[in-house]
Amino acid sequence: MFFYLSKYMDYNKEQTSIIECREKYQQVIAAAGSGKTSTMVALLERILDEKTEDPRSILVITFSRKAANEIRERLQIRVGEVELKIKTFHAYCLYAIQKFHPEYVSSTIKIIEDEEKEELFKEYFKREKFKVGGIPYKFLLEENFSLKKEFPEIYNDLEIEYKKYKALTKKLDFKDLIEIFVTGLRQNSDWTNNAKSEIQRIIVDEFQDTDMEQLEMIKLMDPSSLTVVGDDWQAIYGFRGASTIPFLKFKEFFSPCKVHFLERNYRSLSKIIQTSAIPISKNSMNIKKIVKPKREGKGFVGKILIETNSELAILTQKIQAIPDYKNKIKILCRSNFRISTYHQTNLDENCLMTIHKSKGLEFETVFVDLFSGWNLKIDEPKDTIEEERRILYVALSRAKNNLIILGNKIKSNDRIEDLFFSYFKRMKTLNLDCLPNVF
């Protein structure tokens, strides 16, 4: 039944093939701005309209509460209230443990939230400030900072203290939830078998950000139908333990598999798409895509050279001279610690965001900060360099109409941001005084 050919004419050929697919395993390789969320919602709508599956047997897994809410809200607009499960990996495991695990069914599981964990770590850093050589705890708590790599002894001490805290407070963290559920699956426990029997279809969003334990969880759940959606070019959570392997080798883990590509970009103009692909082209581990723009129009792509923080302050003044800049412009930085430098220039907070926070979003005009703040050297391991290039790709591909890259006038021989900025040597250089007239 080619349901969508008559009812919905807004989907392109690539999207329609995904919506209508009946294969047990399908992998959707979706370029940035290609409408993957609307395609997922349309797939769910088709399944629900056909009424051949119990909605309660469908599990949609996302990587954030925000993404789960977005899918839920879009689906509700299309089909009304439904009982299917739309949860993060951790939320689903919490649900399954609370409902089926014999040790937890009669008690409420207490979870350590991120803020509580951060406060515990903050107190540790204050107490042991001499061990970290006076490095600000805000920097140490950055998600992209590898405490385990830079201060292994402190990391081990902190892990011991954290485990003691969890035992004392009788709380679990998100990692514990996955571990408990996967252990039950490995042991073929009755309670996990009961949880498995509820689920017949699984759809996983942002599958490129899964780790090996989450991959094992999906394999052991062995659903009747599995669809994964993602983009290996946007795999940027290695610091959390995520791996590109589940996505790159999906066909080996789940066979036979139907592979689909979403390569039409509805977000960015052609020149921005071409520029965004430059860092990815230098990676060896990626799935090749030919991304095509849907939109036509005139935008601007260029770079600005900066030498000092004083010039950075001048830049922010020029930005504030642009009409409606608070709603039109976003400066994307590598870390919150880097953003604090912009705070000193009195630039509106709404104009600033980390690259990781920007994932999934889009902005009319994007400034990507390659002037400073990446805090890595060019002799990092290959996997690290490739992930940093993917992070740069995410930043560049947020832009709809205008893209400006900020770089250092004086190039060093060892900073990764200077290496990355050199990729754009042929790009037009913009004088600061001309900035307000560009848009």
Side-chain angles (χ1 to χ4, degrees):
M1 177 177 68
F2 292 95
F3 177 77
Y4 278 81
L5 294 181
S6 58
K7 187 174 180 181
Y8 300 100
M9 302 301 294
D10 294 336
Y11 301 100
N12 62 40
K13 184 178 179 180
E14 297 170 335
Q15 291 171 315
T16 302
S17 67
I18 296 164
I19 295 163
E20 294 292 341
C21 185
R22 264 60 175 188
E23 301 294 330
K24 178 175 182 178
Y25 301 127
Q26 67 170 331
Q27 180 185 27
V28 179
I29 300 167
S34 61
K36 71 176 180 64
T37 303
S38 60
T39 306
M40 287 174 60
V41 171
L43 170 62
L44 287 165
E45 185 181 3
R46 188 268 295 168
I47 294 165
L48 294 169
D49 275 10
E50 289 182 352
K51 295 182 171 59
T52 58
E53 299 179 35
D54 184 344
R56 294 169 298 181
S57 71
I58 301 171
L59 170 62
V60 180
I61 299 178
T62 69
F63 272 80
S64 70
R65 296 171 188 170
K66 180 181 176 183
N69 289 335
E70 181 182 0
I71 293 172
R72 189 177 295 110
E73 288 166 6
R74 289 201 198 186
L75 192 61
Q76 186 175 355
I77 291 170
R78 305 287 299 211
V79 301
E81 289 286 349
V82 288
E83 294 185 74
L84 59 81
K85 300 171 181 65
I86 306 176
K87 298 177 179 291
T88 64
F89 268 103
H90 304 109
Y92 172 72
C93 289
L94 175 61
Y95 157 83
I97 293 167
Q98 190 76 77
K99 182 174 180 179
F100 296 107
H101 197 298
E103 292 183 23
Y104 295 100
V105 289
S106 59
S107 61
T108 301
I109 298 174
K110 294 186 290 184
I111 300 296
I112 296 178
E113 297 291 343
D114 290 339
E115 296 79 8
E116 183 180 358
K117 184 177 180 179
E118 183 176 315
E119 192 61 34
L120 177 70
F121 285 16
K122 190 187 300 182
E123 290 302 316
Y124 175 88
F125 291 136
K126 286 180 180 178
R127 191 171 64 248
E128 304 292 347
K129 57 184 177 182
F130 295 109
K131 288 186 178 181
V132 295
I135 297 175
Y137 67 80
K138 287 184 178 180
F139 182 79
L140 294 168
L141 290 171
E142 283 283 354
E143 282 191 326
N144 58 301
F145 179 77
S146 177
L147 186 67
K148 185 176 183 179
K149 175 184 174 184
E150 301 296 335
F151 299 98
E153 185 178 336
I154 292 174
Y155 175 83
N156 292 333
D157 288 346
L158 195 50
E159 282 291 293
I160 292 170
E161 187 158 324
Y162 183 48
K163 287 178 181 178
K164 289 179 180 177
Y165 178 80
K166 288 194 293 183
L168 181 66
T169 58
K170 296 182 179 179
K171 291 183 176 182
L172 301 175
D173 66 11
F174 295 138
K175 186 178 179 181
D176 296 326
L177 298 174
I178 299 278
E179 188 175 307
I180 291 170
F181 189 63
V182 172
T183 298
L185 290 170
R186 287 177 190 144
Q187 297 173 348
N188 200 27
S189 301
D190 289 342
W191 72 272
T192 48
N193 287 335
N194 291 335
K196 283 172 59 176
S197 67
E198 274 195 340
I199 305 301
Q200 298 302 313
R201 178 186 291 270
I202 296 178
I203 299 174
V204 187
D205 188 21
E206 303 289 0
F207 193 74
Q208 79 278 351
D209 292 324
T210 51
D211 59 36
M212 299 307 290
E213 191 169 37
Q214 290 164 341
L215 171 66
E216 184 181 7
M217 169 181 155
I218 297 297
K219 290 173 68 177
L220 291 171
M221 289 185 74
D222 190 26
S224 300
S225 178
L226 173 63
T227 300
V228 302
V229 184
D231 179 11
D232 57 297
W233 293 10
Q234 298 185 71
I236 61 172
Y237 288 100
F239 64 90
R240 289 183 183 172
S243 169
T244 56
I245 290 175
F247 196 79
L248 294 175
K249 297 187 176 183
F250 183 80
K251 291 188 294 183
E252 297 177 26
F253 296 123
F254 301 94
S255 181
C257 169
K258 175 67 175 176
V259 178
H260 306 268
F261 284 84
L262 289 178
E263 297 177 306
R264 187 174 299 278
N265 185 308
Y266 292 87
R267 174 188 299 154
S268 304
L269 296 176
S270 177
K271 185 63 175 176
I272 293 173
I273 292 173
Q274 293 170 22
T275 303
S276 301
I278 291 173
I280 290 296
S281 68
K282 300 182 182 299
N283 280 359
S284 60
M285 296 292 290
N286 60 65
I287 298 171
K288 305 302 179 186
K289 292 188 285 292
I290 303 173
V291 183
K292 304 172 288 289
K294 173 67 175 177
R295 297 173 57 228
E296 295 180 358
K298 184 179 180 181
F300 180 82
V301 174
K303 63 185 178 183
I304 294 177
L305 300 171
I306 300 172
E307 186 173 351
T308 65
N309 282 338
S310 297
E311 290 185 358
L312 188 68
I314 295 172
L315 169 71
T316 60
Q317 291 172 11
K318 299 293 185 183
I319 288 174
Q320 292 174 81
I322 297 170
D324 198 25
Y325 77 95
K326 294 179 184 178
N327 296 317
K328 292 182 177 179
I329 290 174
K330 196 69 74 173
I331 300 177
L332 301 183
C333 300
R334 184 63 182 82
S335 67
N336 282 310
F337 192 72
R338 174 60 182 164
I339 284 177
S340 64
T341 303
Y342 286 88
H343 288 159
Q344 298 169 22
T345 69
N346 297 318
L347 184 65
D348 190 276
E349 176 72 27
N350 290 329
C351 293
L352 300 164
M353 184 177 284
T354 64
I355 298 170
H356 281 85
K357 286 283 178 63
S358 76
K359 192 163 180 286
L361 303 177
E362 60 186 34
F363 311 100
E364 182 176 324
T365 298
V366 169
F367 288 74
V368 177
D369 185 354
L370 281 176
F371 174 53
S372 187
W374 290 63
N375 302 313
L376 289 170
K377 304 297 184 183
I378 62 174
D379 59 354
E380 297 286 341
K382 177 184 175 182
D383 288 351
T384 300
I385 298 293
E386 295 212 348
E387 174 149 327
E388 293 299 314
R389 290 196 190 109
R390 294 194 294 268
I391 292 169
L392 177 56
Y393 169 78
V394 168
L396 299 169
S397 61
R398 300 308 95 194
K400 295 171 66 178
N401 299 326
N402 305 297
L403 173 64
I404 296 174
I405 303 173
L406 309 178
N408 206 317
K409 278 183 185 177
I410 304 174
K411 180 182 176 182
S412 70
N413 294 321
D414 60 349
R415 297 195 325 153
I416 197 171
E417 50 264 67
D418 292 336
L419 170 65
F420 288 175
F421 191 60
S422 72
Y423 297 162
F424 310 102
K425 60 180 65 176
R426 296 181 181 178
M427 181 180 288
K428 179 179 180 180
T429 300
L430 178 67
N431 188 289
L432 272 178
D433 292 332
C434 300
L435 182 59
N437 302 320
V438 168
F439 312 113

